[in-house]
Amino acid sequence: MSSSQAPEDQQGGGDPPGDLRSVLVTSVLNLEPLDEDLFRGRHYWVPTTQRLFGGQIVGQALVAAAKSVSEDVHVHSLHCYFVRTGDPKVPVLYQVERTRTGTSFSVRSVKAVQRGQPIFICQASFQQAQPSPLQHQFSMPAVPPPEELLDHEALIDQYLRDPNLQEMYRVGLNRIAAKEVPIEIKLVNPPILSQLQSKEPKQMFWVRARGHIGEGDMKMHCCVAAYISDYAFLGTALLPHQWQCNVHFMVSLDHSMWFHNPFRADHWMLYECESPWAGSTALQLGRLGSVWLAPYGRVPEPPGTLLSSSGKWVAPGGWSKGGCGVVTASWLCPVLKRA
């Protein structure tokens, strides 16, 4: 799988200069080849829970799988299971099995290993592009464009300038601000910390990779989207229960994605997350849609193109009764809690 080396294009609305390569490509998803179909991945960003970030494992596993197929096939889907907790102090080995190589579809199985034990297994499907007379998609919600919204750094700064902000929130926000995260996020309905309340298990935000990726191999954009897809997924199921329980952390059980249209992961995408059911575990669904899609020099697709869909089962990793201050943006969830 290749990526572009000399970026030439930019997206309107403040895209980073072309010489600023995305750290997602140069570091996070840049695997070290050890042997045929064997790779080593290292860790760039570790959440405040000090556990391996699931999106990193999903993205790196898809990179490993994509390196074993030809350039002319596209990512169709992936289905993953998290089987053990990952250790952020230990590199991850990715073992690829070429399960099937067909004329239309190919399947690759990937096992992520630490200390000789599998921590994650994944099956990825690749497809030759084919025209279809059957075409439809969900409509994109009507939301403000990303240019009209604050990014998460500006939003945190706005919160911190509030003289009435509770100290527990101030400590948590400063901790988040100190983290260097390789994606940009703009919340559609940012929370007001002084007026937190239970919400429907739904949230929307604009998201894109920091820096420039370029057109290159479409599979790399799918790998970046796989990384992004897990970033703010986990907190959606907690939104209706903010003042009923204190969930210490969420554990990913599985993760699935389906890719529908070519896209640029370094262009703004609307991420729509919802959790239709929760019990001993919780189901969460997501959709990525485009604000502007212009792949491979084609005539740009109209805004609102559905790019990918995803699904995930999670389980609460320890909880206690009593209110918790988990807010709408789940990138705040690990630190903004009531005692």
Side-chain angles (χ1 to χ4, degrees):
M1 180 176 59
S2 64
S3 59
S4 61
Q5 299 300 318
E8 298 175 353
D9 62 321
Q10 293 184 345
Q11 181 190 19
D15 230 20
D19 59 347
L20 294 181
R21 296 281 288 156
S22 173
V23 72
L24 280 168
V25 175
T26 59
S27 297
V28 181
L29 301 177
N30 186 18
L31 301 183
E32 176 188 359
L34 301 177
D35 203 340
E36 184 177 30
D37 296 337
L38 180 64
F39 306 90
R40 177 161 53 203
R42 301 189 182 275
H43 318 309
Y44 174 78
W45 174 74
V46 177
T48 55
T49 58
Q50 294 304 304
R51 294 167 176 259
L52 272 186
F53 173 48
Q56 173 188 289
I57 304 301
V58 175
Q60 289 182 344
L62 186 55
V63 168
K67 288 180 178 294
S68 69
V69 298
S70 60
E71 293 279 337
D72 60 339
V73 299
H74 303 290
V75 185
H76 171 261
S77 63
L78 57 89
H79 304 276
C80 317
Y81 288 90
F82 298 88
V83 295
R84 286 182 177 85
T85 301
D87 185 345
K89 299 185 292 295
V90 179
V92 179
L93 297 180
Y94 295 92
Q95 304 169 352
V96 180
E97 177 186 323
R98 304 190 183 205
T99 309
R100 181 179 187 271
T101 300
T103 55
S104 298
F105 285 89
S106 297
V107 178
R108 298 293 184 262
S109 301
V110 183
K111 183 189 298 183
V113 177
Q114 283 187 323
R115 298 191 178 96
Q117 298 266 7
I119 64 169
F120 170 91
I121 54 177
C122 171
Q123 289 214 325
S125 173
F126 300 85
Q127 180 186 21
Q128 290 280 357
Q130 298 175 345
S132 172
L134 303 177
Q135 295 189 15
H136 69 266
Q137 68 166 52
F138 282 174
S139 299
M140 190 175 186
V143 297
E147 294 79 14
E148 297 180 6
L149 301 172
L150 296 176
D151 60 29
H152 90 273
E153 291 91 348
L155 185 60
I156 288 175
D157 182 64
Q158 182 182 84
Y159 288 147
L160 291 173
R161 283 189 274 108
D162 181 358
N164 299 317
L165 182 68
Q166 296 182 44
E167 185 60 24
M168 66 171 181
Y169 291 143
R170 192 173 301 278
V171 170
L173 288 167
N174 279 311
R175 192 182 306 159
I176 293 172
K179 294 281 187 180
E180 187 176 354
V181 180
I183 59 178
E184 297 179 74
I185 289 181
K186 295 189 176 186
L187 272 69
V188 171
N189 292 302
I192 301 174
L193 296 188
S194 61
Q195 301 176 18
L196 291 179
Q197 57 186 347
S198 296
K199 295 177 175 289
E200 265 195 301
K202 296 181 178 180
Q203 59 178 338
M204 291 185 290
F205 49 90
W206 292 103
V207 62
R208 68 178 176 183
R210 287 190 188 276
H212 185 95
I213 299 174
E215 291 186 356
D217 188 343
M218 178 60 205
K219 290 190 284 295
M220 176 53 73
H221 290 275
C222 293
C223 296
V224 172
Y227 179 98
I228 289 173
S229 70
D230 198 38
Y231 187 63
F233 228 168
L234 295 179
T236 307
L238 299 178
L239 295 177
H241 312 287
Q242 293 183 116
W243 306 110
Q244 301 169 18
C245 63
N246 187 352
V247 177
H248 304 303
F249 57 90
M250 299 288 280
V251 177
S252 297
L253 302 177
D254 65 8
H255 193 99
S256 296
M257 290 190 75
W258 298 264
F259 298 91
H260 311 309
N261 286 290
F263 61 94
R264 288 276 301 273
D266 53 353
H267 288 185
W268 286 116
M269 303 172 288
L270 181 70
Y271 199 7
E272 183 183 5
C273 301
E274 60 183 353
S275 176
W277 182 90
S280 58
T281 59
L283 173 64
Q284 303 192 131
L285 305 175
R287 289 187 289 272
L288 276 174
S290 68
V291 61
W292 186 253
L293 180 64
Y296 305 107
R298 292 167 38 196
V299 175
E301 298 282 355
T305 300
L306 184 62
L307 307 178
S308 75
S309 303
S310 52
K312 186 181 193 71
W313 282 98
V314 299
W319 63 277
S320 55
K321 291 184 178 180
C324 62
V326 179
V327 299
T328 303
S330 53
W331 45 267
L332 297 175
C333 288
V335 291
L336 299 188
K337 297 181 179 179
R338 290 192 182 277

